[in-house]
Amino acid sequence: MPLPIEEANRKLIAAAGGMFDIETLDIDGVATDVWKSAPPTLRHVLENTRNFFDRDYIVFQDERMTYEEHFRKVVAVASLLVNEFGVQKGDRVALCMRNYPEWPVVFWATTAIGAIIVPLNAWWKSNELEYGLADSGAKVFFADAERIALTQSIWSGLADLTQVVAVRTPGELPAPAKRFEDLLGDLGSLELPPADIAPDDDMTIFYTSGTTGNPKGALGTHRNLCSNLISGAFVRARTEIRYGRVPEPPAGPSGHLLSVPLFHATGCHGILCSHTFAGNKIVTMYKWDPDEAIRLIERERLVSFGGVPAMVWQVLESPEFAKHDLSCVTSIGYGGAPSAPELVTRIKEAFPQVKPSNGYGLTETSALTTSNSGEDYETHPSSAGCPAPVSVVKVVGDDGEEVPRGTIGEVWIKGPQVVKGYWRKPEATADSFTQGWLHTGDLGYMDEEGFLFIADRAKDMIIRGGENVYCVEVESALYSHPDVMDAAVVGVPHRVLGEEVGALVQIRPGGEVSEEALKAHVKSQLAGFKVPVRIDMQRDPLPRNANGKILKPEVKKLMGL
């Protein structure tokens, strides 16, 4: 039997020699448990990369940037922002481009001087980018060629915008844009401009998906992100402790594939910052391509990759898979959707050395809230895992009071990783935050051990004749069929019942299954009223946003609803 979660927490804290010590601080009037060992600010994390100067940091196609080269470029951009562009603490610097090596340079330079970085969604159209630039009040805008072309007509109408810097934009630039490469200088300095930054100073504005109305900018702090650097290490070590093993430090620097966009918290906080903190190599891609991912994993001897479950499926199903040596992979992590038991089986067959993992988090929790890996994932495959001890998760009813274990309610989260609120939106902040508690809008429950299970988004729940149907539950049943690669459940309008259950599924390559067979499969697991009355099937991937979330409105369009 594994150690209980709370006992494992206590044992790991006691054995870690101070690394996981906790203290309680007053943060904006809320008593909050924090890691004493967390870096105070992201500038401290950047300064620590001096210890890794000889290592590769960012690899993009045939380009390779070491930690030292990166640091020198960060110093150059930080000095440019302060000395030439007049950027001061709290000013906003917007950033919108593909996962080019310049992205982390601009990110670290901005946060190191106490300014607020605003990573904008590179999938957005011109009007959406105009909204993000105007709402954030960005003073400086860094963009690649595609985004320069999309936004040049709106620059003059943005009152706060004073500087535009074009990255990887050949040919003549539209005024008043300046070329990034021309501004760097000789990269001779290793001295960052002075800055007075505190842990709870504003650092990031990441815009939420905006599925209803305009996106909201989640205002994050240095403490938010730095806390999760320690929490991530803690939850990985706790699994070892629970099953009687002694957590071992990493053998040395390792390589990781960044397959999701940097403009979301998962890519930036969960991958970029955590691996920078550890001195690891990060390999980026121009866009997701499973065949290219396989080649990169072999070429760079990468130890981890992941994304949403469909991306892992695509790697396993690729004709390139059997042609390459991927024995270097030791970790495959995914989230954003339930995963079929068949996927776990396939991973174990293809990567016997790997124990898959998943997790749960939001933009508002700086990516990480709970994590599930190793034996815990095998014994609780439908759970999102457990939080680190500085984080508190509770499930509440409509009255805001905590409900008994096993009862479905709204998931609330409190901890040092929870953002301050929404940028310039006091009403939205008041609606979603109460005394440090984030109201996630996710429905779920906790079991007696403390494992969190996500049932659905509150707004996605289907109400069929007064009965609640949780989409995730039905999707999980569909995923459990070996021929289903991806699934999305939506409401189908019904004159009497209000809604019935419908689904769109992606069938895996080589799979052959009928609609009636899938309905029977779901019916063998769930009550009759939860069985989809209609299941549409396709071979193409389901519509997802840049962060891998299913776009339910697009699913309904594909189904003609």
Side-chain angles (χ1 to χ4, degrees), residues 73-88:
K73 288 183 176 179
V74 168
V75 169
V77 173
S79 300
L80 172 76
L81 291 172
V82 172
N83 300 325
E84 301 297 326
F85 292 173
V87 173
Q88 301 178 18

Side-chain angles (χ1 to χ4, degrees), residues 154-463:
I154 65 176
W155 298 340
S156 60
L158 297 167
D160 297 305
L161 188 64
T162 62
Q163 302 286 342
V164 176
V165 181
V167 174
R168 297 184 185 238
T169 306
E172 186 175 351
L173 295 180
K178 301 176 175 65
R179 202 177 308 278
F180 180 86
E181 295 79 6
D182 296 341
L183 299 173
L184 288 185
D186 62 6
L187 304 181
S189 176
L190 286 172
E191 292 302 319
L192 287 165
D196 181 16
I197 310 172
D200 296 306
D201 284 345
D202 301 339
M203 187 188 76
T204 56
I205 297 175
F206 277 84
Y207 281 90
T208 59
S209 300
T211 51
T212 56
N214 285 324
K216 302 187 292 289
L219 180 61
T221 68
H222 287 262
R223 190 189 303 278
N224 292 156
L225 198 155
C226 291
S227 294
N228 274 349
L229 298 177
I230 306 301
S231 292
F234 185 93
V235 294
R236 289 189 293 271
R238 181 176 60 197
T239 302
E240 302 297 294
I241 290 284
R242 269 172 56 77
Y243 291 90
R245 298 185 294 269
V246 177
E248 303 221 354
S254 53
H256 302 263
L257 182 67
L258 173 65
S259 53
V260 295
L262 283 166
F263 56 74
H264 278 300
T266 300
C268 179
H269 297 14
I271 299 176
L272 176 69
C273 292
S274 64
H275 289 305
T276 304
F277 184 53
N280 293 331
K281 175 176 66 177
I282 301 168
V283 178
T284 69
M285 306 174 70
Y286 181 77
K287 65 177 182 179
W288 169 250
D289 180 315
D291 296 347
E292 177 64 11
I294 289 168
R295 290 189 286 269
L296 287 171
I297 290 168
E298 181 183 51
R299 187 188 84 181
E300 299 293 332
R301 307 310 295 160
L302 305 181
V303 304
S304 73
F305 74 97
V308 295
M311 296 168 76
V312 181
W313 269 116
Q314 289 167 9
V315 167
L316 294 172
E317 297 287 349
S318 168
E320 291 292 311
F321 184 80
K323 303 176 186 178
H324 297 267
D325 175 15
L326 305 186
S327 59
C328 51
V329 176
T330 60
S331 175
I332 299 175
Y334 42 83
S339 59
E342 174 69 11
L343 176 58
V344 178
T345 301
R346 288 288 306 280
I347 289 173
K348 287 184 175 181
E349 291 172 353
F351 300 96
Q353 73 278 19
V354 168
K355 291 184 177 178
S357 64
N358 71 359
Y360 167 71
L362 304 89
T363 303
E364 292 89 341
T365 64
S366 313
L368 179 68
T369 293
T370 62
S371 180
N372 196 10
S373 62
E375 291 91 339
D376 282 340
Y377 184 71
E378 294 173 15
T379 57
H380 302 75
S382 58
S383 172
C386 300
V390 295
S391 302
V392 186
V393 177
K394 68 179 180 180
V395 179
V396 305
D398 292 339
D399 58 1
E401 295 298 319
E402 193 164 3
V403 298
R405 292 289 174 99
T407 303
I408 289 179
E410 184 182 7
V411 178
W412 285 18
I413 302 166
K414 177 184 174 185
Q417 82 279 23
V418 174
V419 302
K420 282 185 173 181
Y422 296 118
W423 175 255
R424 292 178 172 172
K425 288 183 170 51
E427 291 183 3
T429 299
D431 287 342
S432 296
F433 297 85
T434 303
Q435 285 295 300
W437 288 100
L438 166 69
H439 314 174
T440 67
D442 289 329
L443 299 175
Y445 67 93
M446 297 189 78
D447 68 9
E448 292 301 326
E449 292 181 272
F451 282 80
L452 176 67
F453 294 76
I454 300 299
D456 212 346
R457 287 290 296 173
K459 64 177 181 292
D460 289 339
M461 183 179 68
I462 297 168
I463 303 177

Side-chain angles (χ1 to χ4, degrees), residues 124-135:
W124 279 357
K125 303 300 184 184
S126 177
N127 62 312
E128 295 169 306
L129 291 171
E130 181 177 14
Y131 169 80
L133 289 166
D135 182 71

Side-chain angles (χ1 to χ4, degrees), residues 56-60 63-66 70 101 104 272 282 284:
D56 284 343
Y57 178 36
I58 303 292
V59 176
F60 173 72
E63 302 175 31
R64 199 169 294 269
M65 182 167 60
T66 66
H70 172 261
L272 176 69
I282 301 168
T284 69

Side-chain angles (χ1 to χ4, degrees), residues 12-25:
L12 180 55
I13 291 170
M19 180 180 177
F20 298 129
D21 284 355
I22 295 172
E23 63 180 341
T24 303
L25 299 180

